[in-house]
Amino acid sequence: MRRLHHLPLSPFSRKVRLVLAEKKIEVELIEEKPWEKRMEFLLLNPAAQVPVLQIDGLTLSDSVAICEYLDEVYPDIALMPRTPEARAEVRRLVHWFDDKFHREVTENLLYERVTKKIKKTGYPDGSRIREGTNAIKYHLDYLDWLLDKRKWLAGDEMTLADFAAAAHLSCLDYIDDVDWTRSEHVKDWYARIKSRPAFRGILADALPGMRPPPHYADLDF
Amino acid sequence: MRRLHHLPLSPFSRKVRLVLAEKKIEVELIEEKPWEKRMEFLLLNPAAQVPVLQIDGLTLSDSVAICEYLDEVYPDIALMPRTPEARAEVRRLVHWFDDKFHREVTENLLYERVTKKIKKTGYPDGSRIREGTNAIKYHLDYLDWLLDKRKWLAGDEMTLADFAAAAHLSCLDYIDDVDWTRSEHVKDWYARIKSRPAFRGILADALPGMRPPPHYADLDF
């Protein structure tokens, strides 16, 4: 049985869900609140983080390790390019989103507005929200700059870099924190990736007491 | 001309230096203080982070992207195992150190004690030092648990996971923040990796006004 332990608004979980769906690998989704540190979950991943994927008799954790594994073992729909230099560019951009964007934007907006509410650990910190709101502008401008020259983030083909970026942006879009009017290039790219069948599961996510804005699941926004 | 833009006590730079030295790839080292955000450096890496490697006519950034590139293009001394599941384990552990250990230990100890001094941005925060001092114990215990069953961190062969861990620990050892008496397994593993010729450059690092403890460069400690 293939199982993905995840959280609906975890960008790292969403990246793996997108890769699984794009490769048409069906999994059972199991929601896990990693901060509860359940012993059964810690035995799967001592880092106490989602996602954790059980597949092929293995228990895999860390979203980058999982995505690279899936692309190596299920290569029919390839999400990594063929040349080492193109792969380096994909990995640079995946890390850009999972590290820099996560630290400067996702943590400041999503974790302040949503995770604190779910964990009941207080109210959003206005200064962090302002920091995140400011930082996302620069990141959207960087995406605009890339997409002015490229069809997809890392080049001519859709790769893990697009899924890493879309995973973060889709979480922020759920709480209406993305200004899609800032760049036509970015809006067009996101409409393309959001229209893929792989995106359906994510667009159907519904958190109790938190509705996404109407454009969230609208493929034409 | 091959050039590595780095900082001596950046664990991410050290990881790349170790991989380059292990593969006997000579590079010119250029010290860069990324927080100064020099325009020439931002043009190499808009993320404003070290390391940046100029090699084969390319400019590569992000230490994971660089290390995977080097292992793909210079495979004579392989630092990634052959099977997808073993590679997933290496990538999980590399990320453990570059993300979890970095956040819980390196940032709290090294950045408080050293980076603040270099950047002249204040004095070490005692509560963060205590957090880091506490957290490193759990990480050393996790390494002990792994090395009780394995010769190297990810299995029978030395891999990028060992270099990622050693890069962080060597920076902390420079400021004498590693209690090597905590685990014989960890001490033995570190002595083995520290004795490799690839480690020489790192053991010769000397920061002005900050001397490492006598055991830092002692191969038998």
Side-chain angles (χ1 to χ4, degrees), chain B residues 78-122:
Chain B
L79 295 173
M80 283 296 272
R82 277 192 216 150
T83 67
E85 52 266 44
R87 276 199 290 277
E89 178 64 355
V90 171
R91 289 180 178 126
R92 177 184 79 83
L93 288 167
V94 168
H95 193 251
W96 180 290
F97 283 92
D98 286 354
D99 178 62
K100 189 175 173 68
F101 187 94
H102 179 252
R103 209 166 2 93
E104 297 175 358
V105 181
T106 312
E107 284 191 349
N108 284 328
L109 295 176
L110 188 73
Y111 295 0
E112 286 299 318
R113 292 200 212 271
V114 178
T115 317
K116 274 186 170 175
K117 195 170 169 181
I118 299 175
K119 289 168 78 170
K120 296 179 182 137
T121 51

Side-chain angles (χ1 to χ4, degrees), chain B residues 169-185:
Chain B
L169 286 167
S170 71
C171 289
L172 294 163
D173 198 33
Y174 191 96
I175 54 172
D176 208 5
D177 262 330
V178 186
D179 174 8
W180 296 110
T181 67
R182 194 166 176 93
S183 157
E184 274 303 312
H185 290 312

Side-chain angles (χ1 to χ4, degrees), chain B residues 142-195:
Chain B
Y142 183 54
L143 285 182
D144 178 79
W145 183 81
L146 289 173
L147 291 164
D148 186 38
K149 298 183 296 289
R150 299 172 175 178
K151 188 175 169 203
W152 297 96
L153 289 188
D156 286 340
E157 308 291 334
M158 189 184 66
T159 66
L160 289 179
D162 298 285
F163 284 168
H168 281 269
L169 286 167
S170 71
C171 289
L172 294 163
D173 198 33
Y174 191 96
I175 54 172
D176 208 5
D177 262 330
V178 186
D179 174 8
W180 296 110
T181 67
R182 194 166 176 93
S183 157
E184 274 303 312
H185 290 312
V186 177
K187 190 177 171 181
D188 169 67
W189 162 82
Y190 191 65
R192 264 186 287 140
I193 200 159
K194 180 159 103 161
S195 306

